[in-house]
Each structure stands twice: as structure tokens, then as C-alpha cells.
Amino acid sequence: MKVGIVGAGMVGSAAGYALALRGGASEIVLVDKSEALARAQAEDIAHAVPFASPCQVRSGGYAKLDGAEIVILAAGVAQKPGESRLSLLSRNADVFAQVIEGVQKAAPKAMLLVASNPVDVMTEVALRASGLPTGQVIGSGTILDTARFRSLLGGHLGIAAQSVHAYVLGEHGDSEVLSWASARAGALSLDEFADQVRAPITDAVRAEIDEAVRRAAYRIIEGKGATWYGIGAGLARIVHAVRDDQRSVLSVSVVTPQVEGVENVALSLPRVVGRDGVVETLMPALDPGEAKALRASAEMLKETALGIS
């Protein structure tokens, strides 16, 4: 599978690197407004390929995306001092319109995988600009938040994160919702498993994990300026699900007809992802507090998206 990446900064290059190491693509093309940056990132990633799976890694303009089946959108503009979030969103929407026009001239049928923040709103912007089917414009959403949640739960329970089935819903951001009510470990509910391994999930444990998941990006940004490795691996995971038609259940963002009474809003829920993109959406069991929080998250995202329409 040929994969394009528009935006060769830290997120785009980390996604390319993860794809190359995992053997997720036969060809990767990096495109950036800085041709020198795209060329340097492609060359650096190419030098890792001999230690991994065969893959051609190149850089170039939009025309080089010809034949790409998936294009990762990791481009965007930085916030100016004193600039409002809404103003930044408007400028990013303009950038996305130009980027998508360039992508679709070369690869009109390519699925779009949105990584640029705020990812949920930018997923809706990309859908509007592209005219593609809803399930083929996918935001990375809470795939990384979900990984953080599972990792912390696994650590508390003393098991591998892969044996934890739990999801973060809604916005990839401050209003995200950790779904404790539907979380499971192995074949048991979270509380049942915790009781059996003598690692109870107390209110204090819940609060600590919630804070750790919700504030993870802030801690990383404070320490090194931005996050990129985790989301790069998450993007590679989504590409794998599409390439191999895995029909994996992943917490990704697409425009959804109705969520807790809010219509046509992009946010994350567990989705079945395969060759045709998102093919099913699942609604996990929520307690009343989680349902209320998910509605609030959806309302905020809907209001923000309407502000740039």
C-alpha cells in the first residue's frame, strides 16, 4: 500500500517512521511546504528501512501522491500570540482546503487520515472540503488517549495493556470521557478483575488515572514541546487496520449522525475499521455521568465546528 503524509514535522515524520518499522506500507511519500524538510525526513527514515521491512520512502510535491490509498494529514499552522482558538481554526481550515485540493488532484480516491489538531473539528473540515464518504475521512481522535488509559489500567492491575479493553470517548482534548462503565480486563468487568487480583479500583485510583490520561499531553509538551511518538504509532495502527482489512475496533473520530442527542458531530467512539474505512460505530455502555459528559463534549465540538462554517 502506498501512503502519503502531508506535513513532515514531528507528527508526520513519526508516523512515517512507525509505518516503515512496522511494515505498514510498501511506499511512503512525504510532502511539506518545506521541500528540504520533507527530503531530510524521508532520507532519515529510509536509512532505518534496512533494519525493518522493505519499503520505499520518498519526498516530493503533491503529484508524487499519485496512487496513494491513504494520505495522512499532519499539516497546520501555529497559533499566533494573542490569537483566539477560533481564529486559529479558521486559518487551519483554509490551509486544509488547499492541502486537500492538492491531495485530491493526485489521489482523488485516497482515504484521508487526519492528525492535525484540534483533530475532531479538523476531521469535519476535511470531510466538507473533500466530498469523500464519511467513513473515509478519519480523525486519529482518542486512539492515543485510549492507549494511555489501557496502559495505566494495565499497570494498576499488573497485566499487559493489550488485555485491557477500555475506551476514551468524545473530544481528543479536555472534555474527553474515560468510559469506566464499559471497561473490561480479560473476560471480566474491571471491578471483578480488580477484586480477583486484589488491586481494587477505588475512587482515588480512578481520579489518579483520569488525571494522568487527561493531562498527559500537557506534561509531555511541558517537557519537550510537543507529542509525536505515541500519535505516530497510533496513525500507523489505523493504516494497518485499513491495509489488512482487519475490522479492528479503534477509538477514532468521524462525523457521526447522532451522539447523545447531538447531531452530525465529529468525535471518537469505538469504530470498526477495515479496508473501506470506518464501517460500523459502536456505543459502549455508559453510566449516567459518562453519558452527560459525552453529551457536553459533543455539544462543545458541534458549537466549535459551527463557528468556522
Side-chain angles (χ1 to χ4, degrees):
M1 172 182 280
K2 181 176 180 178
V3 177
I5 301 174
V6 180
M10 296 310 301
V11 170
S13 61
Y17 182 60
L19 279 169
L21 289 191
R22 286 174 58 101
S26 57
E27 182 179 356
I28 300 169
V29 177
L30 286 92
V31 178
D32 196 276
K33 64 180 181 180
S34 170
E35 295 181 7
L37 175 63
R39 184 168 56 250
Q41 298 282 36
E43 186 174 357
D44 198 11
I45 294 169
H47 293 163
V49 168
F51 303 109
S53 301
C55 175
Q56 294 180 331
V57 186
R58 300 175 174 142
S59 67
Y62 287 110
K64 295 288 187 181
L65 298 175
D66 178 37
E69 295 182 58
I70 298 180
V71 176
I72 296 171
L73 303 179
V77 295
Q79 191 166 4
K80 297 177 180 178
E83 183 178 29
S84 71
R85 185 168 178 264
L86 189 58
S87 177
L88 174 63
L89 280 170
S90 297
R91 291 199 298 125
N92 258 334
D94 292 339
V95 169
F96 255 45
Q98 297 170 21
V99 167
I100 291 169
E101 181 181 2
V103 168
Q104 292 195 306
K105 283 182 179 178
K109 296 183 180 180
M111 192 177 300
L112 300 180
L113 180 50
V114 181
S116 301
N117 279 318
V119 68
D120 302 291
V121 178
M122 297 315 297
T123 298
E124 184 165 343
V125 169
L127 179 66
R128 294 179 196 167
S130 68
L132 289 169
T134 301
Q136 294 184 15
V137 181
I138 305 171
S140 55
T142 60
I143 193 167
L144 178 54
D145 310 272
T146 289
R148 291 165 174 160
F149 189 22
R150 293 177 178 182
S151 177
L152 290 165
L153 281 172
H156 175 75
L157 297 171
I159 60 174
Q162 290 84 349
S163 295
V164 177
H165 309 286
Y167 295 91
V168 177
L169 315 175
E171 179 200 14
H172 170 55
D174 293 341
S175 73
E176 64 190 23
V177 180
L178 279 65
S179 181
W180 292 91
S182 63
R184 301 185 71 79
L188 303 176
S189 72
L190 199 59
D191 287 335
E192 289 171 332
F193 191 100
D195 287 344
Q196 290 195 30
V197 299
R198 296 173 297 283
I201 307 289
T202 64
D203 289 344
V205 168
R206 290 186 183 226
E208 182 180 353
I209 291 177
D210 186 282
E211 176 71 7
V213 172
R214 201 175 299 277
R215 304 296 298 178
Y218 293 101
R219 293 192 305 274
I220 294 169
I221 290 168
E222 182 179 356
K224 69 173 193 174
T227 68
W228 55 81
Y229 293 127
I231 189 57
L235 292 164
R237 177 69 185 90
I238 298 167
V239 171
H240 263 266
V242 174
R243 188 197 69 174
D244 297 341
D245 195 21
Q246 292 177 350
R247 300 182 69 86
S248 297
V249 179
L250 304 173
S251 57
V252 293
S253 183
V254 299
V255 174
T256 308
Q258 191 275 133
V259 179
E260 294 296 330
V262 181
E263 297 181 347
N264 297 317
V265 60
L267 47 60
S268 287
L269 290 170
R271 320 273 189 179
V272 179
V273 181
R275 185 71 183 180
D276 296 323
V278 169
V279 295
E280 296 286 351
T281 293
L282 310 172
M283 177 58 75
L286 304 175
D287 66 29
E290 292 169 353
K292 182 179 179 180
L294 182 58
R295 179 181 176 88
S297 184
E299 288 175 337
M300 183 278 295
L301 288 168
K302 179 71 173 180
E303 181 179 354
T304 303
L306 287 174
I308 59 170
S309 60

